[in-house]
Amino acid sequence: TQEGLTGEEFGARVEYISSHPEEFPTLDAAARDFALYSTFNQDLGMMGKAVQNFANSSIFTKIVLPFVRTATDLLKITWERLPGLNLLSAKYRNDLMAGGAQRDLALAKMGTGVMATLATLALAKAGLITGHGPHDPKLNEVWREDHQANSIKSGDTWVSFDRMDFPGNVMGVVADFAEMIHDLDLKDAQEFFA
């Protein structure tokens, strides 16, 4: 679109660029980075590499921790989209300061994170989405008689989001937070938010 092409000319240009990535190294690198990001296969940071080295140190740890990279990337993506927590990430702050497309993407992540958080809070308040339930084991046992942990209510059925990875992680954290706030008495809530 920067070249002013439309229709068939635009399609032909996209096909040419896709067929000749070596002529467009910046675009090729960005596409590769996006592919790694969207498949949860980014390079690990210092802590992730340490965990991966530990996981690879013996057959037992390899069995217990087989997918360090994917799990680490899922946690990073969840972290990036939780309002407030995302600002603790140096990469996220750098993206915001960079300007241009990097900033736009960081703001888009922030916006979708805020929208998902508010929607999840509203659903949790309405009793249509759950976290892990009450912390107290006896209360949790009673709660589970008509609730299912980490689930969304559809009609009379609870549908688990435990296996949804990234969106499920965000929904679970937010629903747990909503349940925690609901369980606080007024004095504790005032102290928590003071």
Side-chain angles (χ1 to χ4, degrees):
T1 60
Q2 289 179 341
E3 296 176 0
L5 302 175
T6 59
E8 289 183 20
E9 289 178 326
F10 178 75
R13 183 67 172 153
V14 169
E15 186 176 331
Y16 180 82
I17 291 170
S18 299
S19 300
H20 301 88
E22 67 283 353
E23 294 180 29
F24 306 92
T26 303
L27 189 58
D28 185 50
R32 290 176 189 278
D33 287 345
F34 182 75
L36 292 173
Y37 179 82
S38 60
T39 58
F40 314 117
N41 282 292
Q42 298 178 91
D43 287 335
L44 294 170
M46 184 176 67
M47 182 65 115
K49 285 179 184 175
V51 172
Q52 188 171 46
N53 288 339
F54 172 73
N56 291 332
S57 65
S58 75
I59 190 67
F60 174 74
T61 55
K62 189 65 179 169
I63 291 170
V64 174
L65 297 168
F67 306 112
V68 173
R69 181 182 310 259
T70 301
T72 301
D73 281 353
L74 285 167
L75 286 173
K76 285 181 189 176
I77 287 170
T78 300
W79 187 275
E80 285 178 351
R81 284 161 177 82
L82 285 171
L85 290 180
N86 53 7
L87 296 174
L88 298 175
S89 163
K91 181 192 178 316
Y92 190 80
R93 288 192 314 273
N94 291 339
D95 287 349
L96 283 173
M97 302 299 279
Q102 264 182 285
R103 177 181 168 82
D104 292 346
L105 186 56
L107 289 172
K109 289 175 186 176
M110 182 183 289
T112 55
V114 168
M115 287 188 301
T117 298
L118 292 175
T120 302
L121 285 171
L123 289 170
K125 182 147 177 59
L128 298 173
I129 191 169
T130 63
H132 288 91
H135 182 69
D136 180 276
K138 290 179 183 177
L139 289 175
N140 194 287
E141 186 178 332
V142 172
W143 178 82
R144 286 178 184 263
E145 290 175 7
D146 60 354
H147 293 83
Q148 179 176 308
N150 296 323
S151 299
I152 298 171
K153 192 167 190 179
S154 176
D156 293 332
T157 305
W158 287 101
V159 180
S160 176
F161 55 76
D162 260 347
R163 308 288 286 167
M164 287 177 59
D165 293 327
F166 154 64
N169 293 345
V170 173
M171 290 189 294
V173 169
V174 174
D176 281 337
F177 181 74
E179 289 171 353
M180 180 190 76
I181 297 304
H182 180 265
D183 290 343
L184 292 175
D185 62 30
L186 182 59
K187 182 179 179 221
D188 288 340
Q190 288 171 336
E191 288 177 14
F192 182 81
F193 289 107

